């Protein structure tokens, strides 16, 4: 389609450069119409649908102006004479000024001048001719854009070797998140609703949610993994995925002040390989387009295989979360350290703890800074590890010794690790630097910890009740593991359950402007919400692909689309037979059929009325379309009656015949049948020419009586000829 669109441009360029006439204009109209169709097939943007209406109006206006131009050219062909060039006009002006007007007097010329009423009648006729075209174009455009399976830009992209990766990385290198933060491309839309009522779940203004994507527990060669490079984070533990837990398993958490929330992720196709959670999570009753496999230890969903995803379409799925309380996302989550069972003291637990304590024993500069901080705060690490972790987090955020920046300088010591260089010298960076530094200090303090990356959206669309997540919302934070006893007496005690261990979220990154992070209203939210509706209902049919939707076979793009469509029609037939078409349960499937039937019947009725009335309002157009008889071009009723009488003999006026030629043929037919009406036909034809093209438009009373007498004679002659 893109190649076809490109090929259409070349003949258009040639036509635009040529001297214009009617033929050139007609060819341009055809090429532009073809380009409009190709553009509709490859463009899924909502603005294209919005601009369609003014485009159609301009199209109809252009047709109207073109028809008027064609009329004027027919009346005066000199209109198409090209305008003289500017040099020619100046030369003639110069010759006339210098030499004077020595040319001979021009011969008398004549130009056809139409009267004002004739021009007005032609204008109205051309305008009425444009209305059916406009109505048909609008009806065609509406059905075209709604029913046609759309093509998304993602399906038009082809591989070009090693392209830059889009979205969050699988291996976290230093500076990786900083490159993502400089890109404001939209990633997804996230909406939250109460699990029981289905109402919108309002999040506190100063508490944007943390969307979890990946976690990393091993850093650099010091992690005893020689293949991990310096300044690089990886995940060493092998994940094991299973089904999402049921809501019944997490319902006891509501006894500790937690809310059950349904979270829907609408991820753009370019970023659809990553999956996001808000732990602790549970399965909802909504049918999913993809299989959701959950890793309970790392609290992550398994990434999707690109071969299983619908190419070019966004990924929409829903999970449940018990991670909120009164509009705030809780920073503490019950931990599960074993894949096999819920026992927290098995070997899997010990192995996970060992992984999350390695990697930073040789970081002397970081260790010295940590010890000075604990000594200054007078904290006994062995007695209160949680207080020590909170002091380290607060120091990065509130001390003023560290600042947030995306404009990073080269390392002061190239031989020093980036984390040590950040703590000892730079002290300016983005979230990845702060999270890495805090993780290093926590592990040196004997506290198991890991880095988590994902997104923290701040733009909220109040029209659609969802968060718009951009790449610039990418974020890195820290999770530290504490036992039930270590969290007793803290502000998190009211959310502690019977679990033995808990993950606690720490965010050591200060704000860029010194103010707290707040949720802001999305700019241009009306356009973004319209784009979401356009995608859901038109482009991909996400909202129309339910069980009772006629659009589902097209939206799902499945191989069994025809069989599913037949099955839905059979169910609709069953609803008709049982009288359930307009019942509460049957209307959901029937309304698309009703709309289609009403639309088709309306178009058929409009077409029938067009065929009936077009000969009256636009006789020439009706003749060209073949929906009118030549006799309908007659303006005077008496001559139209004459033609009707002759049609009883099978004599019909041909499009190329004049009235005089037609009546002469009719006289010949009457003679062959032994009858004659030459006088009546000659009189009626003469009067018609007189009133049609003469100064007198209507007959007098005496002339009307004479015409009626001749029509009566003609009627008697036709009746005799038919016997």
């Amino acid at each position: 389609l893109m190649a076809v669109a490109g090929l259409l441009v070349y003949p258009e360029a040639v036509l635009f450069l040529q001297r214009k006439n009617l033929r050139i204009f007609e060819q341009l109209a055809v090429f532009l119409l073809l380009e409009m169709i190709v553009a509709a097939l490859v463009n899924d943007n909502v603005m294209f649908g919005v601009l369609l209406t003014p485009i159609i109006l301009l199209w109809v206006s252009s047709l109207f102006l073109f028809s008027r131009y064609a009329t004027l050219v027919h009346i005066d062909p000199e209109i198409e004479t090209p305008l003289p060039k500017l040099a020619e006009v100046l030369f003639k002006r110069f010759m006339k000024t210098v030499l004077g007007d020595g040319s001979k007097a021009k011969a008398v010329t004549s130009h056809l001048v139409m009267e004002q009423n004739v021009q007005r009648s032609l204008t109205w006729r051309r305008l009425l001719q444009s209305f059916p075209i406009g109505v048909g174009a609008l009806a065609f455009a509406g059905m075209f854009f709604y029913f046609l399976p759309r093509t998304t830009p993602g399906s038009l992209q082809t591989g070009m070797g090693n392209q830059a990766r889009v979205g969050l990385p699988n291996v976290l290198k230093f500076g990786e998140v900083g490159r993502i933060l400089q890109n404001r491309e939209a990633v997804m839309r996230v909406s939250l609703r109460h699990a029981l009522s289905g109402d919108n779940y309002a999040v506190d203004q100063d508490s944007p949610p943390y969307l979890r994507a990946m976690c990393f527990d091993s850093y650099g060669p010091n992690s005893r993994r020689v293949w991990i490079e310096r300044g690089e984070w990886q995940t060493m533990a092998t994940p094991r995925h299973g089904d999402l837990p049921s809501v019944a398993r997490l319902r006891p958490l509501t006894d500790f002040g937690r809310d059950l929330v349904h979270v829907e992720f609408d991820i753009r196709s370019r970023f659809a390989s990553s999956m996001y959670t808000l732990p602790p999570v549970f399965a909802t009753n909504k049918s999913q387009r993809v299989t959701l496999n959950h890793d309970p230890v790392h609290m992550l969903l398994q990434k999707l295989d690109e071969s299983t995803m619908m190419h070019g379409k966004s990924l929409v799925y829903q999970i449940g979360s018990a991670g909120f309380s009164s509009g705030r996302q809780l920073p503490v989550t019950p931990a599960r350290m074993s894949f096999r069972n819920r026992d927290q003291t098995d070997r899997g637990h010990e192995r996970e703890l060992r992984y999350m304590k390695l990697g930073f024993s040789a970081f002397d500069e970081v260790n010295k800074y940590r010890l000075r901080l604990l000594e200054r705060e007078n904290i006994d690490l062995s007695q209160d590890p949680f207080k020590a972790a909170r002091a380290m987090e607060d120091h990065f955020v509130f001390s003023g010794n560290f600042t947030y920046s995306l404009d990073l300088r080269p390392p002061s010591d190239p031989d020093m690790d980036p984390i040590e260089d950040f703590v000892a010298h730079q002290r300016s960076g983005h979230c990845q630097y702060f999270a890495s530094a805090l993780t290093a200090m926590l592990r040196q303090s004997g506290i198991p910890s890991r880095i988590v990356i994902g997104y923290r959206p701040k733009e909220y669309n109040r029209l659609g009740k969802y968060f718009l997540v951009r790449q610039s919302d990418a974020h890195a934070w820290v999770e530290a593991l504490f036992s039930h006893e270590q969290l007793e007496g803290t502000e998190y005690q009211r959310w502690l359950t019977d679990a033995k261990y808990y993950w606690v979220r720490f965010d050591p990154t200060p704000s860029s402007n010194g103010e707290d992070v707040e949720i802001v209203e999305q700019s241009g939210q009306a356009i973004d919400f319209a784009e979401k509706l356009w995608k859901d209902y038109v482009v991909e049919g996400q909202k129309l692909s339910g069980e009772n939707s006629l659009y589902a076979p097209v939206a799902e793009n499945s191989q069994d689309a025809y069989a599913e469509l037949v099955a839905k029609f059979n169910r609709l037939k069953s609803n008709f037979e049982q009288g359930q078409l307009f019942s509460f349960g049957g209307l959901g499937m029937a309304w698309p059929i009703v709309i289609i039937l009403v639309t088709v019947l309306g178009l058929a009725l409009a077409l029938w009325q067009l065929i009936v009335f077009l000969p009256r309002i636009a006789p020439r157009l009706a003749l060209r379309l073949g929906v009118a008889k030549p006799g309908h071009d007659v303006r005077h009723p008496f001559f139209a009656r004459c033609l009707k009488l002759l049609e009883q003999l099978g004599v019909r006026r041909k499009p190329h015949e004049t009235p005089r030629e037609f009546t002469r043929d009719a006289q010949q037919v009457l003679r062959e049948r032994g009858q004659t009406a030459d006088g009546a036909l000659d009189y009626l034809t003469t009067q018609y020419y007189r009133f049609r093209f003469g100064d007198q438009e209507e007959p007098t009373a005496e002339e009307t009586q004479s015409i009626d007498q001749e029509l009566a004679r003609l009627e008697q002659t036709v009746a005799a000829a038919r016997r």
Side-chain angles (χ1 to χ4, degrees):
L1 289 175
M2 297 295 289
V4 170
L7 291 175
L8 290 174
V9 174
Y10 296 111
E12 287 179 20
V14 176
L15 294 175
F16 272 118
L17 294 175
Q18 291 184 1
R19 185 171 70 87
K20 305 300 184 294
N21 52 36
L22 289 178
R23 180 179 59 83
I24 298 298
F25 282 128
E26 291 173 353
Q27 293 175 355
L28 278 173
V30 172
F31 279 113
L32 292 174
L33 180 60
L34 292 175
E35 272 202 341
M36 173 70 72
I37 295 175
V38 174
L41 289 171
V42 301
N43 198 324
D44 69 338
N45 194 283
V46 63
M47 289 306 299
F48 188 82
V50 173
L51 292 174
L52 180 65
T53 300
I55 288 174
I56 295 298
L57 293 178
L58 290 174
W59 179 23
V60 175
S61 302
S62 301
L63 288 175
F64 169 66
L65 295 175
F66 180 70
S67 63
R68 295 217 41 200
Y69 176 74
T71 303
L72 294 176
V73 171
H74 180 72
I75 295 174
D76 187 5
E78 293 186 3
I79 293 178
E80 286 201 312
T81 303
L83 296 175
K85 297 181 180 179
L86 179 60
E88 183 180 350
V89 174
L90 294 177
F91 177 75
K92 290 183 177 180
R93 183 71 175 177
F94 171 77
M95 295 298 294
K96 182 177 180 180
T97 303
V98 176
L99 302 178
D101 191 5
S103 59
K104 298 181 180 179
K106 294 183 179 180
V108 178
T109 58
S110 61
H111 294 279
L112 180 61
V113 179
M114 292 189 298
E115 295 182 0
Q116 187 175 2
N117 58 345
V118 176
Q119 294 180 359
R120 188 181 298 111
S121 64
L122 287 175
T123 301
W124 280 106
R125 179 179 297 182
R126 295 299 180 184
L127 183 62
L128 291 175
Q129 289 176 359
S130 302
F131 277 138
I133 301 177
V135 173
L138 289 174
F140 167 78
M143 297 182 65
F144 183 82
F145 278 93
Y146 184 80
F147 291 107
L148 191 70
R150 307 309 304 276
T151 305
T152 57
S155 61
L156 299 176
Q157 296 176 353
T158 57
M160 297 181 64
N162 295 326
Q163 297 179 341
R165 182 176 181 82
V166 176
L168 301 177
N170 293 324
V171 176
L172 187 62
K173 299 181 179 180
F174 255 86
E176 194 81 19
V177 177
R179 287 188 286 270
I180 300 175
L181 291 172
Q182 301 180 42
N183 186 354
R184 284 187 52 80
E185 183 179 1
V187 177
M188 57 183 163
R189 301 180 179 93
V190 180
S191 57
L192 290 80
R193 298 189 178 276
H194 288 277
L196 298 179
S197 64
D199 298 332
N200 177 62
Y201 187 83
V203 181
D204 282 358
Q205 188 73 17
D206 58 345
S207 180
Y210 290 82
L211 307 179
R212 183 188 186 91
M214 285 173 282
C215 62
F216 303 94
D217 52 25
S218 297
Y219 176 79
N222 293 328
S223 63
R224 300 179 184 177
R225 300 295 187 271
V226 296
W227 60 84
I228 303 180
E229 299 178 359
R230 188 178 71 172
E232 183 177 280
W233 285 92
Q234 289 191 17
T235 302
M236 295 309 302
T238 303
R240 298 183 183 179
H241 298 93
D243 296 334
L244 285 171
S246 64
V247 65
R249 290 184 56 182
L250 272 69
R251 195 176 298 278
L253 293 178
T254 58
D255 298 334
F256 298 89
R258 292 176 179 263
D259 301 328
L260 298 181
V261 181
H262 285 173
V263 186
E264 183 177 270
F265 295 88
D266 185 353
I267 310 173
R268 293 177 181 261
S269 59
R270 299 183 65 194
F271 307 91
S273 60
S274 297
M275 306 290 284
Y276 306 89
T277 63
L278 289 86
V281 297
F282 59 90
T284 64
N285 294 328
K286 182 178 180 180
S287 60
Q288 309 286 357
R289 290 177 174 266
V290 294
T291 302
L292 302 180
N293 296 317
H294 183 240
D295 174 10
V297 174
H298 300 90
M299 299 183 292
L300 298 173
L301 292 177
Q302 184 180 18
K303 286 190 173 184
L304 296 181
D305 186 1
E306 294 185 0
S307 61
T308 63
M309 294 185 296
M310 299 178 66
H311 190 54
K313 290 185 177 293
S314 60
L315 172 65
V316 180
Y317 67 92
Q318 186 185 91
I319 61 172
S321 174
F324 291 86
S325 177
S326 302
R328 301 185 70 88
Q329 188 178 9
L330 300 180
V332 57
T333 304
R336 180 176 174 183
M337 304 306 300
S338 172
F339 292 108
R340 293 171 293 183
N341 51 56
R342 303 191 67 182
D343 184 7
Q344 305 294 338
T345 60
D346 65 355
R347 294 181 178 178
H349 174 205
E350 297 296 333
R351 184 172 57 254
E352 291 291 323
L353 292 179
R354 186 170 63 253
Y355 281 149
M356 290 181 289
K357 291 182 180 180
L358 299 175
F360 300 96
S361 58
F363 284 30
D364 295 334
E365 294 295 331
V366 176
N367 192 38
K368 292 178 182 178
Y369 195 93
R370 177 186 65 89
L371 294 175
R372 289 196 301 267
L373 172 62
L374 295 178
E375 182 180 0
R376 186 170 58 251
E377 297 293 334
N378 194 21
I379 297 176
D380 186 355
L381 182 62
S382 61
Q383 296 296 325
D384 198 345
F386 176 77
K387 184 178 180 180
R390 176 55 58 85
M392 297 175 194
E393 178 192 33
D394 291 343
H395 180 76
F396 283 113
V397 178
F398 302 112
S399 67
N401 295 338
F402 294 85
T403 58
Y404 182 91
S405 176
L406 291 176
D407 186 13
L408 303 179
R409 295 172 296 175
S412 302
D413 187 355
D415 297 329
M416 184 178 290
D417 188 89
I419 296 180
E420 282 200 290
D421 184 66
F422 169 72
V423 175
H425 303 108
Q426 300 286 352
R427 298 187 181 179
S428 178
H430 48 73
C431 57
Q432 183 181 354
Y433 286 80
F434 288 97
S436 300
L438 179 59
T439 303
M441 290 184 178
L442 290 175
R443 292 193 177 186
Q444 288 178 345
S445 303
I447 302 174
S449 56
R450 60 191 182 189
I451 284 185
V452 181
I453 64 170
Y455 293 97
R456 197 183 186 195
K458 297 176 285 294
E459 296 184 47
Y460 187 72
N461 190 302
R462 301 196 180 277
L463 294 177
K465 308 298 182 185
Y466 60 81
F467 286 94
L468 178 66
V469 185
R470 302 183 183 275
Q471 288 225 91
S472 56
D473 295 325
H475 195 55
W477 61 92
V478 180
E479 282 184 344
L481 188 71
F482 295 93
S483 65
H484 191 286
E485 293 77 9
Q486 292 172 336
L487 294 178
E488 289 181 353
T490 67
E491 65 268 30
Y492 300 149
Q493 182 174 354
R494 55 177 172 164
W495 295 309
L496 301 182
T497 64
D498 58 350
K500 294 183 179 180
Y501 293 92
Y502 298 86
W503 289 109
V504 179
R505 182 180 67 244
F506 294 93
D507 192 348
T509 305
S511 60
S512 57
N513 53 7
E515 300 178 357
D516 294 336
V517 178
E518 294 183 352
I519 297 175
V520 297
E521 190 168 342
Q522 178 191 355
S523 60
Q525 57 181 321
I527 296 179
D528 187 76
F529 183 50
E531 182 180 351
K532 175 176 171 56
L533 295 178
W534 178 262
K535 178 187 74 68
D536 290 343
Y537 288 94
V538 179
V539 177
E540 298 182 6
Q542 300 279 9
K543 299 299 183 182
L544 298 177
S545 58
E547 181 180 356
N548 292 327
S549 172
L550 185 70
Y551 194 78
V554 180
E556 295 174 1
N557 196 21
S558 63
Q559 296 180 353
D560 300 329
Y562 179 75
E564 294 177 10
L565 185 63
V566 173
K568 292 184 182 297
F569 274 111
N570 291 334
R571 286 197 294 269
L572 179 62
K573 179 182 178 182
S574 176
N575 287 343
F576 271 113
E577 294 175 351
Q578 299 175 10
Q580 298 179 355
L581 174 61
F582 295 102
S583 63
F584 182 78
L587 186 59
M589 182 180 66
W591 72 264
I593 302 294
V594 174
I595 293 178
I596 294 175
L597 292 177
V598 171
T599 303
V600 172
L601 292 176
L603 291 176
L605 180 61
L607 181 61
W608 174 66
Q609 291 296 322
L610 177 65
I611 294 175
V612 172
F613 290 101
L614 187 62
R616 302 180 184 179
I617 59 179
R620 288 189 177 181
L621 181 60
L623 286 173
R624 290 187 177 184
L625 296 178
V627 297
K629 299 178 181 179
H632 289 171
D633 194 26
V634 179
R635 293 189 176 184
H636 292 273
F638 74 88
F639 198 72
R641 183 183 172 188
C642 172
L643 299 181
K644 281 286 188 182
L645 291 173
L646 295 175
E647 286 181 1
Q648 299 178 9
L649 300 175
V651 182
R652 290 180 175 82
R653 179 185 169 192
K654 299 177 182 178
H656 63 274
E657 284 184 322
T658 64
R660 178 70 68 185
E661 292 173 343
F662 171 70
T663 53
R664 289 178 180 174
D665 292 340
Q667 291 173 4
Q668 182 64 31
V669 173
L670 287 173
R671 294 192 191 98
E672 294 176 355
R673 298 193 180 188
Q675 303 293 331
T676 179
D678 296 352
L681 289 175
D682 290 340
Y683 178 79
L684 293 173
T685 305
T686 302
Q687 295 300 321
Y688 171 73
Y689 276 107
R690 177 175 165 226
F691 299 131
R692 177 67 176 82
F693 303 106
D695 296 335
Q696 183 180 348
E697 295 185 359
E698 298 295 336
T700 62
E702 296 179 356
E703 292 171 341
T704 301
Q705 185 178 2
S706 301
I707 291 173
D708 292 339
Q709 293 176 358
E710 297 298 334
L711 285 173
R713 289 177 51 193
L714 179 61
E715 185 176 1
Q716 295 175 359
T717 305
V718 170
R722 295 181 59 188
R723 296 192 188 100

